[in-house]
Amino acid sequence: MKSVILQTATRYMHPILLLFSVFLLLRGHYLPGGGFVGGLVASIAFVLHSIAYGTQQTLKILHFNPLSFITAGLALATLSMFLPVFFGYPVMTGLWLNQPFPVVGLVGSSLFFDMGVYFVVVGVVLTILFTISLESH
Amino acid sequence: MLLIAISGIILALFLIPLGKYIKGKWSITLAALPIFISIRLLLRIPTVSGGSIIFQHTDWVPSLGLNFSFRLDGLSLLFSLLISLIGALIFIYTSSYLKNHPFLDRFYAYLSLFMAAMLGLVLSDNILLLFVFWELTSISSFFLIGFNNEEAGSRKSAVNALCLTGLGGFFLLVGLVIIGRVAGTYSIEELFASADILRNHSTYPLIVGLLFAGAFTKSAQFPFHFWLPDAMKAPTPVSAYLHSATMVKAGIFLLLRFSPILGDTPIWSWSLMIVGGFTMMYAGIHALFKTDLKAILAYSTISVLGMLTFLIGLGTREALIAACVFIIVHALYKATLFLTTGIIDHETGTRDIRVLSGLKAVLLPVFIAGLLAALSSAGVPFFFGFIGKDLIYEATLNASSNISVYLTIAAVVTNICLVTAGFIAGIRPFVGKLPPQFRHIHLPQGSMWVPPLILATAGLIFGLVPGYIGEVVISPAISVVGAEGGTVNLKIWHGFNLVLILSLATLLAGILLYLVNKKFPVHTTTTTYAPYSFFSQIWGIFLRISARFTAVMHNGFLRSYLVKIIIFAELLLIYELIKAGPISIDFNQLSPITIYEAMNVILLIGALILIVITSSRLTAVVGLSIVGFTICLMFVFYGAPDLAMTQFTIDTLTVVLFAFVLFNLPSFLRFHTKNRMVIARDAVVSILFGTILSLIAINVLHIPTNKEVSEFYGEFAYTLAKGKNVVNVILVDFRGFDTMFEIVVLAIAALGVYSLMKLKLKPTEKE
């Protein structure tokens, strides 16, 4: 069931949703948002794409297997957890750069942790949904 | 000593990735580890036999009193030398016994794991640490017995052994914890000082009973003995190492270790003497009616273990010396006999004594080893076994006068059986005429027949220099089992006395019995013994109960699980609500209802009605998502944008997920409408649950909330974590560890779904 209306809408919605998910991720530390919600919105973007164009097409534009997002996310989160140890602080101490970045704001280790959460959530949701959808067709 | 105890575990770990390179012709190099450990231990002999005890301590879980504290005293030195020296020979033997076996690396890993566990067990100074290693020996024994895991018999024997020794271990743990509670310490060294407190404490009989449960199951005492003959399904090196020389002696070690702490009371002595005495005669007589070489050896091992228990129960200085000497004697000759049996089995393919004969012609060095071992086991003069037997008779004759006659008779009967069993296993297969089907047999590799020959020769050499062994090994061991009194003098010649007469009479009677048995064989092949069938009946009852329990509690229907879980939660909550007392609502406190909220609730109720009455799954799912969205709106009204946002996205994804899954399901089965009882039950359960939760929600309004935590987060979110969104700061900073574990759980869930969906079972494999 390919719908031209849905496909056309998805062509615009998909990038906007992804951009919005990054926006949610970055603003999380100051305003409602964060890695978890951001990851969910990003997965919705891909799910929308898969409904419109079929899961095979979505896997193509993803470039990576959804499982590898989980690996990457866990690795990133773990790294940011243990990064302070190399500077002689206890595990999970927040480390912050002195100067705020333009647009993003102040960057610290917890931002990378949140990015890890983001990738894990995207990976988990897409793995579950795409596995089921590919098996059912 | 920590290194000695855990090096085997480290070796086992290294074998996981590197095993495939080693399991070829290099496997014999693995014997370097036990040899290295033996050398380290041998170098400690001068210190320990000088009377000092070496301690080593490393904290592990100090809050539980569980620490890596080790002690090397005479007793642990005796056992650890046996373990490492025999271990070295077993490692060498295995390299050719299981040559080219596809899982040889796995076997070595189990074997070194076991060696580590056993060394740790005898070296522990902390009784909880001792228990940890104790369990590890049971587990590694399980793997080794079940090594040929494609045979149903091996698997069953492995499970039997694990169940029984595991059960015993459980009792032992309870006993050790009570000891620790009563004495206030888990250190063996400190327990020596609290012996009187323990002996006079009201829980003393309980402690002794629990300790015995552990020792008797491990050391195969009647009525728990049947797992040991069963365990002979293991490859022969395992039988030689675990089930005769070392692991089954763990129970004996435990009894020896605790004799100075708990021993020397009527309960202790009488139970050990009765159980040990019965076991030794029962198993000794049984051994004579077996036709399988390994079964004969298994029963004679049980008999010896009974003898050791019996001697420890006797508890005099002579008896304890006899026990320590007999441990060495038995380890040497029994391991030899197992190894020669292994060679016979390996070369001829049978272990049936009715078939085997005349192998002397083709396996001469193996025969020499078997002969030496049989002679040592028979207690022929100049062998170490002779000294062992003399000491046993000396101990029984010198026991208190009114029982010494009975004890001596029991010992003589057992020894006669052991002499015969030793001859049947060590000499019988080699003498006589060589049947034609064994003509082509040739001697195996040296690495296979040299180890038994070394062990058997050691039995002779030790017998020639008993004074030295007594001074260096036995004396320090005796001094820590509660029988001080100077150096032990072991002599070959005790003079012409009653002991010598008894010893020679035993030998003669044993030889006579052997000849009679050979001429007029009486064999039973039945394996149904009273204790065994009793335990298998209990086992069957367990299986039936668990099958019924599973049928009720775990029947595979989600709806049945949900009903049970919800009813259970309801009962708990009702109990709590009744305990909390009456509920009252103060309407003045509540804020006025706005038009948005009213609209929202109407929407929610409409969706709920839709869900309950619809007959389409998809409609029900859409209805559920409407409920979810109305709850999101509630969050928005009451200022929780983070929650609302997450709930919105989750709800969206849930609908998509449901749509994908529903695609695979059969159409909606309408059993609910068919059975009004089910509808009524579901309605009652759900209405009750909703009512309870509402009552709780109302009740919560009255409970003064503790704002400390939220105030802390609110106050420090910006100053400590530089964030203004408190929820997010909690997630990624304050409670970051929780989040970390949550995402790990998410990842595991995804992997689970992935593997379940990708797992393509054939129809026959589906349950």
Side-chain angles (χ1 to χ4, degrees), chain A residues 24 28-37 40-41 43-44 47 50-51 65 67 70 74 77-78 81 91-92 94 96 106 110 113-114 116-117 120-121 124-125 127-129 131-133 135-137, chain B residues 641-642 645-646 648-650 652-653 656-658 660-661 663-664 717-718 720-726 728-729 731-733 735-737 739-740 743-744 746-747 749-751 753-755 757-758 760:
Chain A
L24 280 176
H29 220 58
Y30 301 101
L31 295 160
F36 194 75
V37 158
L40 286 174
V41 172
S43 8
I44 286 174
V47 169
S50 90
I51 290 173
N65 186 326
L67 273 175
I70 302 182
L74 280 181
T78 317
M81 231 174 104
V91 176
M92 281 225 73
W96 296 89
L106 213 51
S110 64
F113 186 78
D114 226 8
V117 175
V120 171
V121 169
V124 167
V125 172
T127 302
I128 294 177
L129 283 177
T131 313
I132 291 174
S133 89
E135 288 299 310
S136 55
H137 291 295
Chain B
D642 275 283
M645 211 152 55
T646 313
F648 262 121
T649 44
I650 289 277
T652 313
L653 282 169
V656 177
L657 180 65
F658 264 121
F660 281 152
V661 172
F663 199 82
N664 284 340
Y718 193 67
L720 287 181
K722 301 180 200 285
K724 285 176 186 157
N725 177 1
V726 180
N728 187 263
V729 168
L731 282 179
V732 299
D733 205 317
R735 310 290 311 213
F737 274 108
T739 312
M740 187 67 211
I743 58 176
V744 171
L746 271 183
L751 283 177
V753 171
Y754 184 78
S755 45
M757 294 298 290
K758 294 282 176 192
K760 294 223 165 59

Side-chain angles (χ1 to χ4, degrees), chain B residues 450-506:
Chain B
V450 171
L453 203 57
I454 293 176
L455 281 171
T457 319
L460 180 59
I461 294 171
F462 285 13
L464 294 174
V465 290
Y468 180 72
I469 299 293
E471 193 186 318
V472 169
V473 184
I474 306 294
S475 300
I478 286 301
S479 68
V480 289
V481 296
E484 289 83 359
T487 319
V488 178
N489 282 312
L490 298 184
K491 285 176 286 193
I492 305 177
W493 183 248
H494 286 262
F496 193 79
N497 53 17
L498 188 57
V499 172
L500 186 69
I501 294 169
L502 275 176
S503 187
L504 293 177
T506 308

Side-chain angles (χ1 to χ4, degrees), chain B residues 69-80:
Chain B
S69 40
F70 294 103
R71 57 183 286 133
L72 187 66
D73 56 17
L75 187 64
S76 27
L77 184 70
L78 169 70
F79 273 90
S80 53

Side-chain angles (χ1 to χ4, degrees), chain B residues 272-583:
Chain B
L272 287 182
M273 276 200 285
I274 291 168
V275 171
F278 184 75
T279 307
M280 72 186 186
M281 288 196 285
Y282 173 89
I285 292 166
H286 262 287
L288 305 180
F289 298 109
K290 299 287 153 194
T291 55
D292 181 354
L293 275 175
K294 276 176 97 174
I296 297 169
L297 294 175
Y299 274 97
S300 79
T301 303
I302 298 173
S303 176
V304 169
L305 293 168
M307 174 81 83
L308 291 170
T309 309
F310 170 80
L311 288 171
I312 296 167
L314 203 54
T316 57
R317 180 174 153 84
E318 283 105 343
L320 292 173
I321 294 174
C324 287
V325 171
F326 205 52
I327 286 168
I328 304 177
V329 169
H330 175 252
L332 291 178
Y333 80 71
K334 192 53 67 64
T336 310
L337 290 178
F338 267 112
L339 294 184
T340 59
T341 301
I343 296 173
I344 293 171
D345 192 11
H346 196 258
E347 301 303 318
T348 66
T350 178
R351 297 192 305 251
D352 193 331
I353 53 166
R354 289 168 300 186
V355 181
L356 295 164
S357 77
L359 294 174
K360 175 178 62 176
V362 283
L363 300 171
L364 187 64
V366 184
F367 170 60
I368 296 172
L371 179 70
L372 291 177
L375 293 180
S376 180
S377 122
V380 172
F382 304 113
F383 281 88
F384 204 37
F386 174 69
I387 294 156
K389 201 159 49 173
D390 274 9
L391 288 167
I392 293 168
Y393 290 149
E394 220 174 272
T396 55
L397 286 172
N398 290 345
S400 60
S401 56
N402 50 348
I403 53 167
S404 76
V405 178
Y406 305 108
L407 300 184
T408 311
I409 291 172
V412 170
V413 170
T414 310
N415 271 323
I416 292 172
C417 294
L418 288 177
V419 171
T420 312
F423 279 3
I424 293 175
I427 296 177
R428 173 115 177 239
F430 297 100
V431 295
K433 212 167 124 290
L434 185 69
Q437 74 262 36
F438 297 149
R439 290 260 161 76
H440 66 280
I441 288 170
H442 53 89
L443 199 63
Q445 277 180 314
S447 52
M448 212 156 155
W449 58 262
V450 171
L453 203 57
I454 293 176
L455 281 171
T457 319
L460 180 59
I461 294 171
F462 285 13
L464 294 174
V465 290
Y468 180 72
I469 299 293
E471 193 186 318
V472 169
V473 184
I474 306 294
S475 300
I478 286 301
S479 68
V480 289
V481 296
E484 289 83 359
T487 319
V488 178
N489 282 312
L490 298 184
K491 285 176 286 193
I492 305 177
W493 183 248
H494 286 262
F496 193 79
N497 53 17
L498 188 57
V499 172
L500 186 69
I501 294 169
L502 275 176
S503 187
L504 293 177
T506 308
L507 185 58
L508 280 177
I511 293 171
L512 208 64
L513 189 61
Y514 167 67
L515 293 174
V516 171
N517 184 295
K518 201 176 167 188
K519 207 105 189 165
F520 310 102
V522 185
H523 297 308
T524 57
T525 43
T526 53
T527 45
T528 47
Y529 303 109
Y532 187 83
S533 53
F534 178 67
F535 275 93
S536 46
Q537 268 173 16
I538 292 182
W539 181 243
I541 292 171
F542 263 118
L543 286 183
R544 279 198 294 280
I545 290 177
S546 59
R548 271 187 208 156
F549 185 78
T550 312
V552 174
M553 298 304 288
H554 193 96
N555 56 8
F557 292 106
L558 185 62
R559 55 180 177 276
S560 125
Y561 296 161
L562 281 180
V563 167
K564 276 165 202 146
I565 293 169
I566 291 175
I567 289 178
F568 187 67
E570 282 172 356
L571 293 177
L572 285 183
L573 291 173
I574 289 173
Y575 172 73
E576 279 297 317
L577 274 179
I578 292 172
K579 219 173 70 172
I583 298 164

